[in-house]
C-alpha cells in the first residue's frame, strides 16, 4: 500500500511514523508513507495556501489552486492506479474499525489534512472521494486525525499482525480486551487470577472470553450488539446476568 499525506505541517507527521510498529511496517515494505508539503504546490513569492473567506468571518480557508495542483500531480505521477482521496474533517463520517478495514483494502490512499476553519467547497465537490472525522471534537487541523487513520489502517495490512489476532477482529464488531496480567504473581497484595496460572488452556480461553464479554457489556454495550457472538457467548452472557 502507498499512503500520501498532504499537509502544511509535515513536521507534525514525521514523529508518529518514525517510531514503533508503523516504522517497522515501512522498513519491511508493507507500506510506503509519503508526507508532502502542500506549500510546494502553491505559487507566488509567499506560496500562499489559504485566504480569507468570501462573505467575511473568522479564520482562513484553504485555496483551491494548490490542492487541485497537488492532487492532480500526485494522481498523474503514479500512472494507472488512482488513489482514494480522503479529506480529514470534523464534517466527515466517523472513523471506526469497519472503515479502517475498508481502507486497508485500497492500493493507494491520499489523505488531505484540512485546517479547522475549512477548505474551499470546490475541493470537496470535485477532488475528494471521502471525508473522515476521528470523533466529535475539534482539532486544530487534520494532521493528528491522519496519523490515527494511518495507524489503524496499517496494522490491518497483511503481514503486520499475526494472522490469528487479525482473524479475531475480522468481524465488523469487536469486543473489548479481557484483563491482562504479567509477573509478579502477587503485587502489593494483589494476586493474579489463579486460572491464568493453572496451565489449563481451555479454562484460560473460557475465562478470557467471559471477561471480554463482561467488560464489553459493562462499558460498551453498543459494541456487543454489533459483535459476532457464538451460542456459547450468549450462554455465558446469560449466566453472568444472574
Ligand atoms: N480536523 C479537525 N478536527 C477533526 C476531527 N475531529 N477529525 C478529523 N479531522 C479533523
Amino acid at each position: 500500500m502507498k499512503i500520501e499525506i498532504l499537509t502544511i505541517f509535515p513536521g507534525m507527521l514525521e514523529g508518529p511514523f518514525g517510531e514503533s510498529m508503523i516504522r517497522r511496517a515501512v522498513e519491511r515494505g508493507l507500506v510506503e508513507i509519503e508526507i508532502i508539503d502542500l506549500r510546494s504546490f502553491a505559487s507566488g513569492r509567499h506560496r500562499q495556501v489559504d485566504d480569507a473567506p468570501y462573505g467575511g468571518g473568522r479564520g482562513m480557508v484553504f485555496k483551491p489552486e494548490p490542492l487541485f495542483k497537488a492532487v492532480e500531480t500526485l494522481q498523474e505521477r503514479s500512472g494507472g492506479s488512482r488513489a482514494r482521496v480522503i479529506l480529514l474533517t470534523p464534517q466527515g463520517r466517523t472513523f471506526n474499525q469497519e472503515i479502517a478495514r475498508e481502507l486497508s483494502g485500497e492500493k493507494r490512499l491520499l489523505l488531505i489534512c484540512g485546517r479547522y476553519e475549512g477548505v474551499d467547497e470546490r475541493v470537496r465537490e470535485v477532488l475528494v472521494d471521502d471525508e473522515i472525522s476521528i470523533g466529535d471534537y475539534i482539532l486544530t487541523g487534520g494532521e493528528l486525525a491522519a496519523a490515527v487513520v494511518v495507524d489503524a489502517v496499517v496494522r490491518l495490512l497483511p503481514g503486520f499482525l499475526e494472522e490469528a489476532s487479525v482473524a479475531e477482529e475480522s468481524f465488523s464488531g469487536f469486543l473489548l480486551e479481557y484483563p491482562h496480567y504479567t509477573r509478579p504473581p502477587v503485587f502489593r497484595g494483589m494476586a493474579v487470577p489463579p486460572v491464568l496460572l493453572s496451565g489449563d488452556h481451555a479454562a484460560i480461553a473460557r475465562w478470557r472470553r467471559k471477561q471480554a464479554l463482561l467488560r464489553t457489556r459493562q462499558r460498551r454495550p453498543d459494541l456487543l450488539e454489533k459483535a459476532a457472538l457464538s451460542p456459547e457467548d450468549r450462554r455465558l452472557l446469560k449466566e453472568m446476568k444472574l
Side-chain angles (χ1 to χ4, degrees), residues 21 28 155-166 169:
M21 298 193 48
R28 287 166 57 205
R155 71 180 281 289
L156 293 175
L157 294 178
F160 185 89
L161 291 177
E162 278 175 49
E163 295 304 323
S165 35
V166 187
E169 304 173 352

Side-chain angles (χ1 to χ4, degrees), residues 88-90 114-116 132-142 145:
L88 283 311
T89 161
R115 299 312 296 162
Y116 150 57
I132 289 180
S133 162
I134 61 161
D136 291 338
Y137 40 80
I138 311 290
L139 302 167
T140 56

Side-chain angles (χ1 to χ4, degrees), residues 160-180:
F160 185 89
L161 291 177
E162 278 175 49
E163 295 304 323
S165 35
V166 187
E168 256 175 52
E169 304 173 352
S170 67
F171 311 105
S172 58
F174 60 93
L175 296 179
L176 299 183
E177 285 271 292
Y178 49 78
H180 297 279

